[in-house]
Amino acid sequence: MWDQRYDREDYLFGKAPAAFLADRAEVIPPGSRVLCVADGEGRNSVFLAGLGHAVTAFDASGVAVEKARKLAQEAGVAVDFNVSGIEDWDWSRPFDAVVGIFIQFVGPDMRATLFEDMARAVSPGGLLVLHGYAPRQVENGTGGPPQRENMYTEDLLADAFAGWEILRSADYDAIIDEGPGHSGQSALIDFIARKPA
Ligand SMILES: C[S@@+](CC[C@H](N)C(=O)[O-])C[C@H]1O[C@@H](n2cnc3c(N)ncnc32)[C@H](O)[C@@H]1O
């Protein structure tokens, strides 16, 4: 399904990073090892590589990863791109920051596993950087899956990462313009947390 969605000339979510990431990227210390989970066509990984981070990215869609490689080439940056599902990724590889932007393709059961895996991939003292939709986004219809249960709340994320230092937790409405895939009035959640050292 994702290969078909990405099989188009333009970039489904645009070539610019998510507005959240552009605004908040400075929280990631210079020269970090960063993992971008379900990175799609590379807009976020390419942006982070441009800031000087050592970026690894993966996505299940080979079509998306091919477009991501082109975007990195255009930008003149290197990213270690991989075609992989969350089910196959080697989560024992450590990173200083693990970034998940609009990765709400999982329901509650798989999300619990995914969050545990992502937490494992963050080095002690490292960062988790998450951005997605709140449940009321389903009524907006401007992006994201139609399942309310796939969406995040601040409480859900605080529970999932209990014991972590929360650097940002926010639930807000904004108009975003992130390609034909994510555009218009949106109900958003940001969550940035530091793993105990
Ligand atoms: C809404 S898109 C977001 C892409 C990217 N993070 C961004 O912000 O542009 C969700 C992404 O999840 C990927 N995806 C779906 N199921 C996946 C899975 N099981 N493992 C890894 N990636 C998956 C899709 O291919 C798609 O690129």
PDB file of all heavy atoms in Angstrom, residues 22 56 69 89 118 137:
ATOM      1  N   ALA A  22      11.869  20.891  12.368  1.00  0.00           N
ATOM      2  CA  ALA A  22      12.617  22.109  12.038  1.00  0.00           C
ATOM      3  C   ALA A  22      12.679  23.036  13.266  1.00  0.00           C
ATOM      4  O   ALA A  22      13.702  23.661  13.533  1.00  0.00           O
ATOM      5  CB  ALA A  22      11.957  22.822  10.860  1.00  0.00           C
ATOM      6  N   THR A  56      20.993   7.402  10.433  1.00  0.00           N
ATOM      7  CA  THR A  56      20.550   6.115   9.896  1.00  0.00           C
ATOM      8  C   THR A  56      19.036   6.200   9.790  1.00  0.00           C
ATOM      9  O   THR A  56      18.394   6.786  10.675  1.00  0.00           O
ATOM     10  CB  THR A  56      20.947   4.971  10.849  1.00  0.00           C
ATOM     11  OG1 THR A  56      22.378   4.945  10.957  1.00  0.00           O
ATOM     12  CG2 THR A  56      20.461   3.626  10.355  1.00  0.00           C
ATOM     13  N   ARG A  69      16.868   8.404  -1.132  1.00  0.00           N
ATOM     14  CA  ARG A  69      18.259   8.423  -1.610  1.00  0.00           C
ATOM     15  C   ARG A  69      18.462   9.586  -2.580  1.00  0.00           C
ATOM     16  O   ARG A  69      19.491  10.277  -2.549  1.00  0.00           O
ATOM     17  CB  ARG A  69      18.601   7.110  -2.313  1.00  0.00           C
ATOM     18  CG  ARG A  69      18.726   5.911  -1.392  1.00  0.00           C
ATOM     19  CD  ARG A  69      19.244   4.686  -2.171  1.00  0.00           C
ATOM     20  NE  ARG A  69      18.842   3.438  -1.552  1.00  0.00           N
ATOM     21  CZ  ARG A  69      19.407   2.894  -0.470  1.00  0.00           C
ATOM     22  NH1 ARG A  69      20.419   3.509   0.101  1.00  0.00           N
ATOM     23  NH2 ARG A  69      18.967   1.763   0.034  1.00  0.00           N
ATOM     24  N   TRP A  89      13.898  -4.579  12.114  1.00  0.00           N
ATOM     25  CA  TRP A  89      15.028  -3.701  12.447  1.00  0.00           C
ATOM     26  C   TRP A  89      15.801  -4.261  13.647  1.00  0.00           C
ATOM     27  O   TRP A  89      15.219  -4.855  14.558  1.00  0.00           O
ATOM     28  CB  TRP A  89      14.527  -2.275  12.758  1.00  0.00           C
ATOM     29  CG  TRP A  89      15.674  -1.331  12.988  1.00  0.00           C
ATOM     30  CD1 TRP A  89      16.072  -0.795  14.165  1.00  0.00           C
ATOM     31  CD2 TRP A  89      16.585  -0.858  11.994  1.00  0.00           C
ATOM     32  NE1 TRP A  89      17.184  -0.006  13.971  1.00  0.00           N
ATOM     33  CE2 TRP A  89      17.527  -0.030  12.646  1.00  0.00           C
ATOM     34  CE3 TRP A  89      16.706  -1.050  10.604  1.00  0.00           C
ATOM     35  CZ2 TRP A  89      18.560   0.601  11.960  1.00  0.00           C
ATOM     36  CZ3 TRP A  89      17.749  -0.432   9.936  1.00  0.00           C
ATOM     37  CH2 TRP A  89      18.655   0.389  10.605  1.00  0.00           C
ATOM     38  N   MET A 118      11.965   1.132  20.415  1.00  0.00           N
ATOM     39  CA  MET A 118      12.591   2.450  20.233  1.00  0.00           C
ATOM     40  C   MET A 118      13.339   2.862  21.496  1.00  0.00           C
ATOM     41  O   MET A 118      14.455   3.397  21.429  1.00  0.00           O
ATOM     42  CB  MET A 118      11.533   3.493  19.863  1.00  0.00           C
ATOM     43  CG  MET A 118      10.966   3.288  18.459  1.00  0.00           C
ATOM     44  SD  MET A 118       9.556   4.349  18.070  1.00  0.00           S
ATOM     45  CE  MET A 118      10.334   5.935  17.849  1.00  0.00           C
ATOM     46  N   GLN A 137      -7.669  14.380  15.548  1.00  0.00           N
ATOM     47  CA  GLN A 137      -7.234  14.552  14.158  1.00  0.00           C
ATOM     48  C   GLN A 137      -8.136  13.790  13.187  1.00  0.00           C
ATOM     49  O   GLN A 137      -8.318  14.190  12.039  1.00  0.00           O
ATOM     50  CB  GLN A 137      -5.778  14.071  13.993  1.00  0.00           C
ATOM     51  CG  GLN A 137      -5.275  13.992  12.557  1.00  0.00           C
ATOM     52  CD  GLN A 137      -5.245  15.349  11.842  1.00  0.00           C
ATOM     53  OE1 GLN A 137      -5.356  16.386  12.480  1.00  0.00           O
ATOM     54  NE2 GLN A 137      -5.120  15.327  10.535  1.00  0.00           N
TER      55      GLN A 137
END
